[in-house]
Amino acid sequence: MHIVYLHGFNSSPQSLKAGETAAWLRQHAPDIELHCPRLSPHPAEAVRQAGELLAALPEDTLLIGSSLGGFYASCLAERQRRPAVLINPAIRPDRDLARFAGEQTNPYTGEAYILGDDDLAALQSQRVETPSRRRYWLLLSSRDEVLDWREAAAHYRHSRQTVFNGDDHRLNNWPKVLPEVVAWARRQLSISV
């Protein structure tokens, strides 16, 4: 089994959740291979990169996406018919990231770039309007200070959802839920999604 972990906006494979995922898998599920690509800050390129990686992996691959990575994971899950766990996913990043348009620097990598109108348009064009019912499990935080969890809950209303009361955008409960995520993934990957 493989997992592709997609990080969020101005994040990287060195993020805390990505590190927690890698450490847990090494200790508890060494048969699972984790892939955590460093995504371009430009959405069209990020989706292309992740899509090429996913297409090269076997069908027993789970997507995990956090925040903007959750948006990308949803787009790719639909295109390539894979299950996905979405952690506080962005639903309308074209709207939410508009205030960050202009010069940006990724705090993890130091990469400087410009988030432009083309990037926001690419996000709008990649939105999944009607997500598949059983392909997703959403992990949402009721005190998410970045995104309104209720927007994700409504958009994926027919999908499995877990809301962590009092947790924030980072989802501090992530290490605790990883065993169940892996068990869910194994079940999902044993049936057609």
Side-chain angles (χ1 to χ4, degrees):
M1 180 175 153
H2 296 257
I3 291 176
V4 174
Y5 181 95
L6 302 178
H7 63 74
F9 176 68
N10 273 345
S11 190
S12 84
Q14 287 75 45
S15 74
L16 187 55
K17 275 195 298 288
E20 290 169 341
T21 304
W24 190 90
L25 291 172
R26 273 193 307 275
Q27 184 174 3
H28 301 286
D31 62 309
I32 298 175
E33 187 173 343
L34 177 66
H35 308 266
C36 189
R38 179 178 168 187
L39 298 174
S40 168
H42 302 289
E45 177 65 11
V47 169
R48 185 195 65 73
Q49 289 171 321
E52 287 179 359
L53 170 62
L54 189 59
L57 294 173
E59 290 192 14
D60 66 339
T61 300
L62 170 74
L63 281 158
I64 297 176
S66 178
S67 194
L68 182 58
F71 177 85
Y72 295 153
S74 181
C75 173
L76 293 168
E78 293 295 328
R79 286 183 193 171
Q80 297 194 28
R81 301 178 53 82
R82 309 288 179 113
V85 172
L86 310 179
I87 305 166
N88 293 317
I91 303 303
R92 290 293 313 273
D94 56 307
R95 175 198 65 207
D96 298 334
L97 293 179
R99 65 190 172 114
F100 295 104
E103 294 182 15
Q104 288 290 319
T105 301
N106 184 310
Y108 287 90
T109 66
E111 178 182 7
Y113 65 96
I114 304 241
L115 184 69
D117 291 340
D118 288 351
D119 296 316
L120 299 176
L123 289 168
Q124 186 175 21
S125 72
Q126 293 164 0
R127 179 176 154 88
V128 174
E129 294 297 335
T130 309
S132 301
R133 289 176 177 252
R134 61 176 207 181
R135 183 167 308 212
Y136 302 100
W137 180 12
L138 272 69
L139 302 174
L140 304 169
S141 302
S142 70
R143 292 192 180 228
D144 188 332
E145 70 283 10
V146 177
L147 299 168
D148 185 346
W149 69 272
R150 293 167 295 200
E151 188 173 20
H155 188 69
Y156 293 92
R157 65 188 161 277
H158 300 297
S159 298
R160 178 178 178 173
Q161 300 182 17
T162 302
V163 178
F164 294 93
N165 289 320
D167 211 335
D168 60 15
H169 188 69
R170 184 202 121 29
L171 187 63
N172 294 298
N173 279 295
W174 177 240
K176 294 175 192 168
V177 77
L178 262 167
E180 194 175 348
V181 164
V182 169
W184 179 82
R186 290 190 196 279
R187 287 190 305 274
Q188 286 294 103
L189 291 166
S190 70
I191 60 175
S192 171
V193 294

